[in-house]
């Protein structure tokens, strides 16, 4: 139980850092950082299910297309 709580606390702290990065870059849309829990592990997620469903492009960027290339913000990667 103590380890599970510690893992969750670490996920919450990382989520706070990731949300700060996301907030610094978000211009429009509905992406948000969430934390989900499994039996042992906790997961920090970049959730854009209410918006453009572009979580991967937000995190990692995109190489082109109609809206052009963009650099990702690396919110999750930089949080840990």
């Amino acid at each position: 139980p103590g380890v599970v709580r510690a893992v969750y606390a670490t996920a919450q702290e990382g989520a706070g850092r990731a949300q700060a990065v996301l907030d610094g870059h978000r211009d429009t849309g509905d992406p948000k950082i969430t934390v989900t829990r499994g039996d042992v592990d906790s997961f920090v997620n970049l959730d854009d299910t209410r918006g453009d469903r572009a979580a991967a492009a937000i995190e990692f960027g995109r190489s082109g297309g109609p809206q052009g290339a963009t650099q990702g913000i690396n919110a999750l990667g930089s949080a840990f």
Side-chain angles (χ1 to χ4, degrees):
V3 172
V4 174
R5 280 193 301 273
V7 168
Y8 181 66
T10 300
Q12 291 285 76
E13 291 168 7
R17 291 188 294 269
Q19 187 66 54
V21 172
L22 179 61
D23 289 345
H25 290 274
R26 185 175 59 200
D27 199 23
T28 62
D30 295 311
K32 63 182 176 181
I33 302 295
T34 62
V35 177
T36 53
R37 295 175 86 168
D39 292 336
V40 176
D41 292 325
S42 294
F43 307 91
V44 181
N45 317 286
L46 174 53
D47 180 355
D48 191 35
T49 56
R50 297 176 304 144
D52 294 330
R53 299 186 184 274
I58 293 167
E59 180 71 4
F60 302 113
R62 63 176 180 261
S63 60
Q67 297 173 336
T70 63
Q71 209 174 10
I73 65 170
N74 197 33
L76 298 174
S78 65
F80 295 92

